[in-house]
Amino acid sequence: MKTWVIAAAGFCSAVVAGSAGAQSFLNIQTDPSIPTLEEVAGHAPGDEISTVTEARNYMEALAEAAPDRMQITPYAESWEGRELFYAVISSPQNMARLDEIKANMNRLASGELSASERSSLVDKTPAVVWLSYGVHGNEISSTDAGLALAYHLLAAEGDQTVDTILSNTIVVIDPMQNPDGRARFSNSFEAARGMTPFADRYTAEHDEPWPGGRFNHYLFDMNRDWFTMSQPETRGRVSSMLEWHPVVVVDAHEMGGDESYFFAPAAEPFNPNITEAQKEKQVLIGRNHARWFDQRGYDYFTREVFDAFYPGYGDMWPTLGGAIAMTYEQGSARGLAYERATGDVLTYKQGVEQHFVATLSTAEVVANNQSLFLNDFASYRREAAVEARGASDRYFVFDLSERRWQAEQLGRKLAAQDITVQRLPAGAQVCGIRYSDGALVIDRAQPSGKRITTLLSEDTSLPEDFVDEQESRRDRGLNHELYDVTAWSMPLMEGVTSRTCGQVNVSNASMVGADDPITAVTASSAAYGYVVPWSDAGQAKLVLSALDAGLTGGATTEAFSVDGREYPRGSVVFPLAANESSLASTLNGLATEIGAEYVALQSSWVEDGPNYGSDKFVALTMPKVAMAWGEGTSATDAGAARYVLERELGIPVAPIRVGTLSRANLGRYDVLILPDAGWGFEGELGAAGKSAIATFTRNGGVLIGFEGALGALTSGDDKLLSARAEAAYLAEEEKRSDDEETPASGLLIESDEDYDAVTANQTARPDSVPGVLANVIADTDHWLSSGYEEAVALYQGSTIYRPLNDADGANVFRYAAADELVASGYLWEENRAQLAYKPYLMAEQQGSGMVIAFTQSPVTRAYLDGLNLLLVNAVLFGPAHTR
């Protein structure tokens, strides 16, 4: 038994861990044949932070001790090779017929049952409750709570609540959604701790080094990845959840240590595709939590934060499939003890206990209302299909003649989310439009119709009363209450042409599967060479793979035409004469694997545009890319940039810590990427680091900066970028010119408007925007915009830059005019007016090299796939133009 000391400012008190028998947080009789956590890991629940290995070993020990009531199923493998798994716990009778229960849940989810069929299934089917813990690896208490709950459900004897749960529900416990992040936290915590845990929040054990344990290996916040499905952990969870169709889902988190406990109901705004019945069930569950928390003297709050609008959360994605899904947030000790601002000490054990109680309470509510939850789930699925029938926008149609590869990828991503996707053949006529290369069709009249509506609609409207309140808050000088972005339309983010239609003949359509390969468009033999049209990320992958395989080619900066077909700017030609005899077979193999297109050229003659021998073609080589990494950079943006380049495009990235850039041999790389960064970036970089990247650039390197990193490039005496950030726009009557060093002139204030003008901060940034999809317009004379005339980008935050003048550089992409700016989402009117015509992407020559500046990150959450081709333009074509 361990004794440890909580050391906090001004006091020191001894705390003794619970006795060896205190393995449940409730006073119950337990079965001694069920192993305790202390017997397996050496500590009781909450006395220590269970490691990844200890958590896995304990769950396996429980399953081995009670195989008739618990089984473990692996569902994914992390980037670092750790297996993710969930445990199923129920009565022996239910466990013996799990396949039948799964089948019943699938039938209830089908939306096709008659009333009598549904009633029959509900009577004999336990409700599935899915309890998820620790998607953020440093939100530590939830995993130990999951272990404690598994023990409680298996070891409790003579407990009516547990008996009812086991009889009426299937409890799925996913104890560790992010093992890589938890391992990172555990390692830093153990490395920092000494004789005793300290409750002082500023001690090293509470202060994780960059990037912290919140993220997975590629530094993704996986609580934003559910519909993007970029990470293997997310893909595995989605697939597993669709096998079971849980009616209730909990995603257990932690928040700041000064907070108490949050549970549903969620805060406003609610996504419009959430039903009143779902909201009512949140209240039903919340009331039961309140009963438990009141009995045990726990503080809590509801409704104030953590809204239910953005569909990528671990609670929102299941909600849009019919579940009652909720986020629970526990104040975090971020270690074993944490001194709050009030002076009292929050212990890790308290956090574990409260998550344990909340998730046990959830299972209790479902068990006591099994038929209610099953019927409501089935109703949601049925009504989602029925509501869309007859709608003028019932069908979404993706054109396969534009950005074909992106459209195909989007179709498969949707098919992996319980969405039926169908393919129409070439020449199909849909709502008066002929689709020469065919189309993909998604019918909203299916059980996942509300998820389809949310993910594919051009816009999801915020409630009017909520918007009015946010505008009022801004008028009163208060922050807005939006927790995340206001726009996420997947076709817009993929750059896919999507239309809606009321009627589509799908009699000759075929199904699209999530794992279907994308069909390549390959070429016959060529007399001169092959051309890869520059149209989307699939084509870019083919070119990059070909260069990596040793092929030689060049990209055009102007469109050219051959045999009546125009090949756009950026298209890449691989001549036979410049390559080995295996050119055709190499391209064929790569294109087939990727699903890309290449075309045979029988001659170098073109009907219009430049020939291959023109200086309008630039020679390409596989770029060598380095990236600033570590303290000062945004972990999520650095991770997303590396992920997109490496895993989606196939470009290896060398991460170099920001503090090491000053002494690194940057000359061995063609490209250096500075991801989005915070206020500490310039300090970490230092004068020597800034000098090193300036030398790299002026000696011919390509420096690519994202968002916050541009601050380091636009400041100081030796600027690398001539642009400058703007303050918020002030009307003429709000501007003052008094010299601050002399007494102010007399001033009359006669109205509220006068007062606002006098007190206006003339150096303030524009109001912060939670996130909106904005239209950006290309300068089609610049090679950096190859493959684009316009695009959709995410704008968030408050940074707006002045355009470069022609003498300094080029504004390659600018935001659209104010009345055409917003593609999706909600944008404050002042920001809309000020953002119009301002640069999104700039390029400026520096010596022999170039600075390419994205004023907003193009890789956020790896869900802006429509911008991946633009990123390749910078990384691949940039060195070709500075070489």
Side-chain angles (χ1 to χ4, degrees):
M1 186 165 60
K2 298 180 179 179
T3 301
W4 44 273
V5 176
I6 300 174
F11 71 94
C12 181
S13 60
V15 178
V16 182
S19 65
Q23 297 294 327
S24 174
F25 292 107
L26 304 181
N27 184 22
I28 58 168
Q29 186 68 35
T30 57
D31 180 353
S33 69
I34 303 300
T36 65
L37 181 62
E38 187 162 17
E39 290 169 339
V40 175
H43 59 265
D47 285 355
E48 291 287 338
I49 301 165
S50 296
T51 65
V52 170
T53 300
E54 288 169 344
R56 176 65 196 241
N57 289 346
Y58 185 57
M59 292 296 277
E60 288 179 340
L62 290 176
E64 184 177 347
D68 62 330
R69 287 170 288 157
M70 176 175 170
Q71 71 176 31
I72 288 176
T73 300
Y75 68 79
E77 185 176 282
S78 74
W79 290 111
E80 296 177 12
R82 296 182 175 91
E83 188 176 75
L84 287 87
F85 63 93
Y86 63 82
V88 176
I89 299 176
S90 193
S91 68
Q93 295 78 10
N94 289 336
M95 295 295 290
R97 60 187 191 101
L98 288 183
D99 289 341
E100 176 193 338
I101 292 168
K102 274 188 185 180
N104 289 352
M105 289 304 304
N106 272 289
R107 291 182 66 197
L108 287 169
S110 70
E112 299 173 352
L113 299 176
S114 67
S116 60
E117 289 174 321
R118 181 202 291 189
S119 178
S120 175
L121 276 184
V122 167
D123 287 344
K124 61 184 179 182
T125 304
V128 179
V129 182
W130 191 289
L131 305 175
S132 301
Y133 303 88
V135 71
H136 297 144
N138 62 356
E139 296 180 1
I140 42 179
S141 61
S142 66
T143 290
D144 271 305
L147 306 185
L149 181 62
Y151 171 80
H152 182 81
L153 294 177
L154 296 174
E157 291 186 326
D159 185 280
Q160 184 59 50
T161 298
V162 170
D163 291 346
T164 303
I165 290 171
L166 296 181
S167 176
N168 292 352
T169 70
I170 302 290
V171 178
V172 180
I173 294 178
D174 183 350
M176 206 162 30
Q177 299 181 78
N178 183 1
D180 291 355
R182 188 175 183 86
R184 192 182 307 122
F185 173 86
S186 294
N187 291 338
S188 68
F189 176 76
E190 289 300 326
R193 71 186 294 184
M195 289 178 60
T196 61
F198 282 87
D200 181 353
R201 67 181 68 192
Y202 299 109
T203 53
E205 63 208 74
H206 297 286
D207 187 11
E208 301 170 74
W210 190 96
R214 179 181 179 88
F215 316 111
N216 75 339
H217 173 80
Y218 268 102
L219 308 187
F220 273 72
D221 181 337
M222 292 189 293
N223 193 37
R224 306 295 191 277
D225 191 51
W226 279 78
F227 68 80
T228 308
M229 295 177 59
S230 67
Q231 302 303 291
E233 299 95 328
T234 312
R235 291 193 291 272
R237 269 191 291 279
V238 167
S239 177
S240 297
M241 205 168 277
L242 292 176
E243 285 184 38
W244 284 101
H245 290 291
V247 299
V248 169
V249 176
V250 169
D251 197 18
H253 290 255
E254 286 185 340
M255 54 187 165
D258 290 319
E259 305 290 345
S260 58
Y261 197 98
F262 170 86
F263 53 73
E268 294 284 354
F270 280 85
N271 188 291
N273 293 294
I274 296 175
T275 66
E276 289 303 314
Q278 288 177 305
K279 296 177 185 178
E280 290 167 3
K281 299 305 172 299
Q282 285 196 359
V283 173
L284 176 66
I285 293 170
R287 285 184 178 277
N288 200 58
H289 296 348
R291 178 178 64 84
W292 277 90
F293 276 46
D294 288 349
Q295 287 174 354
R296 301 176 71 81
Y298 306 155
D299 292 330
Y300 68 90
F301 64 98
T302 65
R303 298 182 179 91
E304 295 177 29
V305 291
F306 310 117
D307 63 52
F309 191 65
Y310 172 68
Y313 300 137
D315 59 0
M316 275 300 298
W317 188 90
T319 293
L320 295 168
I324 313 303
M326 300 156 292
T327 291
Y328 296 169
E329 296 270 356
Q330 164 65 49
S332 179
R334 250 349 161 257
L336 290 173
Y338 183 90
E339 185 187 14
R340 288 170 156 161
T342 56
D344 63 316
V345 173
L346 169 68
T347 67
Y348 181 62
K349 197 178 192 78
Q350 286 175 257
V352 174
E353 179 177 339
Q354 292 184 181
H355 262 327
F356 162 82
V357 168
T359 47
L360 175 64
S361 169
T362 305
E364 178 188 34
V365 175
V366 181
N368 289 335
N369 299 274
Q370 167 257 356
S371 62
L372 174 65
F373 280 92
L374 287 174
N375 274 307
D376 275 10
F377 172 76
S379 294
Y380 181 101
R381 305 278 295 180
R382 182 179 183 278
E383 289 166 7
V386 170
E387 287 172 2
R389 294 172 190 165
S392 61
D393 59 352
R394 171 174 173 173
Y395 296 91
F396 287 92
V397 184
F398 300 161
D399 192 345
L400 293 177
S401 65
E402 301 175 18
R403 297 187 181 270
R404 177 188 67 91
W405 192 86
Q406 305 278 175
E408 295 278 12
Q409 277 286 90
L410 177 54
R412 284 149 185 76
K413 198 176 291 186
L414 295 171
Q417 299 183 56
D418 190 34
I419 293 171
T420 299
V421 180
Q422 296 175 284
R423 181 190 305 281
L424 294 177
Q429 193 86 7
V430 178
C431 291
I433 297 175
R434 183 176 179 274
Y435 289 85
S436 57
D437 294 324
L440 301 183
V441 176
I442 298 94
D443 182 1
R444 289 200 297 122
Q446 56 178 289
S448 292
K450 292 184 184 294
R451 181 176 291 143
I452 294 167
T453 300
T454 301
L455 298 182
L456 301 187
S457 294
E458 189 170 284
D459 196 52
T460 300
S461 297
L462 289 161
E464 287 187 18
D465 58 345
F466 179 81
V467 171
D468 290 343
E469 173 60 19
Q470 303 319 299
E471 293 288 5
S472 173
R473 289 179 64 86
R474 292 174 60 239
D475 290 343
R476 303 190 319 261
L478 302 175
N479 292 328
H480 66 75
E481 296 173 304
L482 284 156
Y483 196 70
D484 211 280
V485 297
T486 65
W488 52 78
S489 172
M490 293 184 77
L492 289 177
M493 294 195 299
E494 289 278 357
V496 169
T497 300
S498 173
R499 301 180 180 94
T500 57
C501 190
Q503 291 183 326
V504 176
N505 181 0
V506 293
S507 60
N508 60 345
S510 57
M511 297 291 291
V512 175
D515 298 321
D516 289 353
I518 298 176
T519 302
V521 181
T522 57
S524 56
S525 60
Y528 174 73
Y530 299 93
V531 57
V532 178
W534 200 248
S535 57
D536 59 32
Q539 301 303 102
K541 284 185 67 170
L542 175 56
V543 169
L544 289 163
S545 297
L547 295 173
D548 193 46
L551 301 190
T552 298
T556 181
T557 58
E558 294 182 5
F560 65 90
S561 298
V562 176
D563 296 332
R565 177 173 177 178
E566 182 177 277
Y567 295 92
R569 295 173 301 125
S571 295
V572 179
V573 173
F574 293 97
L576 290 172
N579 288 280
E580 301 292 333
S581 59
S582 59
L583 170 63
S585 62
T586 299
L587 276 177
N588 185 274
L590 294 173
T592 301
E593 179 184 347
I594 294 167
E597 176 189 12
Y598 68 100
V599 182
L601 296 175
Q602 303 307 330
S603 168
S604 64
W605 182 257
V606 298
E607 288 131 21
D608 190 31
N611 300 96
Y612 185 73
S614 164
D615 64 1
K616 300 299 188 296
F617 275 83
V618 292
L620 300 178
T621 59
M622 188 67 175
K624 296 177 182 177
V625 179
M627 180 185 295
W629 191 258
E631 296 290 346
T633 65
S634 160
T636 52
D637 199 63
R642 190 178 184 188
Y643 168 81
V644 169
L645 288 165
E646 290 193 339
R647 299 296 175 171
E648 293 193 350
L649 297 169
I651 304 174
V653 176
I656 300 176
R657 298 196 184 279
V658 178
T660 305
L661 287 170
S662 61
R663 59 182 186 274
N665 179 11
L666 298 179
R668 66 192 302 166
Y669 301 101
D670 304 307
V671 177
L672 173 62
I673 296 175
L674 307 181
D676 185 21
W679 62 270
F681 179 71
E682 289 191 65
E684 191 71 21
L685 182 64
K690 189 169 182 179
S691 176
I693 64 175
T695 299
F696 161 80
T697 307
R698 290 169 178 145
N699 285 346
V702 176
L703 180 65
I704 302 174
F706 297 165
E707 205 167 331
L710 302 191
L713 307 183
T714 57
S715 63
D717 296 331
D718 188 22
K719 297 178 181 179
L720 290 173
L721 184 65
S722 300
R724 57 194 178 99
E726 295 184 346
Y729 174 76
L730 293 176
E732 288 301 319
E733 60 268 21
E734 294 177 311
K735 297 178 181 177
R736 295 172 303 171
S737 58
D738 285 332
D739 185 344
E740 293 183 2
E741 296 183 2
T742 62
S745 58
L747 184 67
L748 293 178
I749 301 177
E750 298 178 325
S751 67
D752 290 346
E753 290 75 16
D754 287 348
Y755 179 79
D756 290 341
V758 169
T759 58
N761 181 354
Q762 298 187 56
T763 62
R765 287 283 185 88
D767 278 357
S768 181
V769 174
V772 61
L773 292 176
N775 292 310
V776 293
I777 310 300
D779 172 359
T780 56
D781 291 327
H782 200 287
W783 54 264
L784 190 50
S785 67
S786 294
Y788 294 90
E789 292 184 0
E790 58 189 12
V792 171
L794 179 70
Y795 178 78
Q796 56 186 345
S798 61
T799 302
I800 299 174
Y801 279 88
R802 290 279 176 91
L804 290 174
N805 64 51
D806 292 341
D808 292 323
N811 303 292
V812 183
F813 275 85
R814 63 164 176 81
Y815 289 100
D819 59 349
E820 300 173 345
L821 178 60
V822 176
S824 180
Y826 188 80
L827 182 63
W828 320 124
E829 282 303 318
E830 298 91 334
N831 294 69
R832 182 197 295 258
Q834 188 174 352
L835 188 60
Y837 292 99
K838 300 299 169 56
Y840 171 74
L841 176 62
M842 299 175 281
E844 181 171 345
Q845 205 76 28
Q846 283 287 347
S848 300
M850 177 174 292
V851 175
I852 296 174
F854 289 83
T855 60
Q856 293 278 308
S857 175
V859 296
T860 302
R861 298 176 183 170
Y863 64 7
L864 300 168
D865 287 355
L867 298 179
N868 284 358
L869 186 69
L870 184 56
L871 181 61
V872 177
N873 288 350
V875 171
L876 176 62
F877 295 164
H881 284 270
T882 60
R883 192 171 292 119

